[in-house]
Amino acid sequence: MRLIPAFAVAGLLTGCATHTAVIPAPQASASPAAQANARLIENFYRAFQRRDGEAMAAAYTADARFSDPVFNNLTGSEPGDMWRMLTGKAQDFSLVFDGIRADEHTGEAHWIATYTFSQTGRTVVNDIHSRFEFRDGRIAVQQDSFDLWKWTRQALGTPGYLLGWSGIVQGKIRTMAAQGLADFQKEQDIGTPSR
C-alpha cells in the first residue's frame, strides 16, 4: 500500500465549498469569562472555515499542547504551525461546526470537515470532537478525537478498510504526519523549538 504525504494523511482538506454553521449565542447567565471562551472557540472555527491558519495559530498560548489521532503531542508553536500547513494546502474545503460549550476554564465543540482526498479522489467526511482548556484568554490545551480507521476507509478505500485499523498502518500515518509538519516548518524556516 502506498501511503501519502503527511498533510494529506492527516485527513485534511481538499474538496467542497465553505459552509457557515449557526452557533447559538452564549446564555446570558454565563460568566463573562465563559462567554469569551465560547467566542474564542467560535472565532477559531470561523478562521478554519476561511482557511486562515494565522488566526488559528494566534488563538493558542505560547506553550500550547495539541493532540489528535494523527498529530500526537504537539507543543509550543507546533499546533499553530500544523494549522498553517493544513489550511495552506487546503482547496475548496468545507467545514461546519456546532455544539460549542465553554465555562471559565474548559470548552468543547463538534466539527465536520468534508473534502476530496487528493491522492485517491475519494470523498472524506471527518467527524471530530474537540475539547479545550483555556488560560489568559487563549487555548492552552486542545484534544481532538475522531475515528482514524473510519478516516482510512474513506480516504484509502479497500486498503484502508483492510489495514487502516492496524497499529502498524496508524503508526506509519502518524510518522508521515510528523515528518510533513517538520518539512513544512523547514520550508517556512520556522524551526521546531527545542523541548
Side-chain angles (χ1 to χ4, degrees), residues 44-193:
F44 181 82
Y45 288 110
R46 291 208 184 281
F48 202 174
Q49 288 176 323
R50 296 187 312 270
R51 295 173 35 210
D52 185 348
E54 289 301 322
M56 295 176 77
Y60 289 101
T61 62
D63 62 346
R65 291 181 291 135
F66 174 92
S67 187
D68 76 7
V70 172
F71 289 97
N72 294 155
N73 304 315
L74 300 183
T75 60
S77 67
E78 291 173 331
D81 293 342
M82 175 196 65
W83 295 122
R84 288 181 185 105
M85 176 183 72
L86 295 174
T87 58
K89 296 183 183 297
Q91 296 178 9
D92 302 320
F93 168 62
S94 172
L95 175 82
V96 294
F97 61 95
D98 60 18
I100 291 177
R101 292 181 185 84
D103 60 27
E104 291 81 359
H105 307 289
T106 63
E108 63 183 298
H110 169 251
W111 53 285
I112 299 174
T114 303
Y115 52 93
T116 300
F117 184 61
S118 60
Q119 297 295 317
T120 61
R122 298 175 62 87
T123 298
V124 173
V125 179
N126 203 10
D127 191 329
I128 301 167
H129 185 259
S130 295
R131 294 186 184 277
F132 301 93
E133 294 177 21
F134 306 107
R135 188 175 69 247
D136 301 326
R138 294 192 178 186
I139 300 167
V141 178
Q142 181 176 352
Q143 174 70 52
D144 284 3
S145 58
F146 63 88
D147 184 336
L148 185 53
W149 185 26
K150 182 177 179 182
W151 183 87
T152 64
R153 293 192 310 260
Q154 292 179 78
L156 305 177
T158 301
Y161 184 81
L162 295 174
L163 300 172
W165 57 268
S166 79
I168 293 171
V169 170
Q170 291 185 5
K172 180 69 171 172
I173 290 170
R174 290 182 188 103
T175 299
M176 291 178 69
Q179 186 61 55
L181 179 57
D183 291 347
F184 172 80
Q185 290 177 313
K186 185 175 179 182
E187 289 168 11
Q188 301 300 309
D189 197 27
I190 295 170
T192 304

